[in-house]
Amino acid sequence: MDYFKRIQCAVGLKQSNQKVLDIALEYQYSSQEAFTRAFEKSFGVTPGKYRNSDIDISQQHKINFLDYQKNTKGDLDVNKPVMLQFDTIKVIGHEYKTNLNHEQHYNEIPGFYDHFGTNEHFMRIPNKIASGMSYGIACSFQDNGEFSFVIGEEVEGEAEDLAEGFIYMEIPAGKYAEFNASGPNGQVQDVRNYIYGTWLPNSNFERREGPDFEITDVMNSSFPDLDIKIYIPIE
């Protein structure tokens, strides 16, 4: 959806009492999560925070998405994504809370991974399918930008009596765009910004409902260089 449609969405946020989800669906976003990410990327604020603020986005300059790569720090070489079809993926992981506002999540997520590994939380996951393949899943987005980041591993079967702080979740079956984000620590942030700032707005795909996730091959990664791929649900 283009910039001017997002302006219309912003007007709806200010001038109506519609729920954020209803506005997202009205303007053809497949989910509130997809709308929140696109709005925050365009205007630097989440829909919920914008609705409750005095910010006037009409005074902001339109973002030129095609210039994004020129403005990133260092060289960013993003290959064409691979389109994959997945069955439902079952994951058990430890849930952390963070926020999109002011890119707080980018500052906090590396610490979540460190906490997960230092405390050997991976040892508390039963029925693992592929040890060493660590999932990072962004989910449960709220109007104010808060969301959960779950770090865990793929499992078989459902689990009961999980350790404190752990949850069971399912990544929906469907089509995903796979982006290679392997490289120095911090590459993931640039690749995610590229996906939402350049690739998705200029592609023929729409982001469908469901969480983003990333998979790190822990056995073939050595800090600060990571072997990591990012997956975006599309249609």
Side-chain angles (χ1 to χ4, degrees), residues 156-170:
E156 54 184 357
E158 297 185 21
E160 298 179 356
D161 300 324
L162 297 177
E164 183 178 357
F166 282 77
I167 63 171
Y168 168 84
M169 64 182 301
E170 295 184 354

Side-chain angles (χ1 to χ4, degrees), residues 13 27 35 74 79 92 114 132 145 150 153 158 165 169 186:
L13 286 167
Y27 287 94
F35 173 57
N79 294 326
I92 292 176
D114 182 66
V150 177
E153 296 188 24
E158 297 185 21
M169 64 182 301

Side-chain angles (χ1 to χ4, degrees), residues 115-130:
H115 181 271
F116 184 84
T118 300
N119 290 277
E120 297 187 343
H121 283 326
F122 53 88
M123 298 294 291
R124 299 178 175 85
I125 299 176
N127 305 321
K128 292 186 286 189
I129 290 178

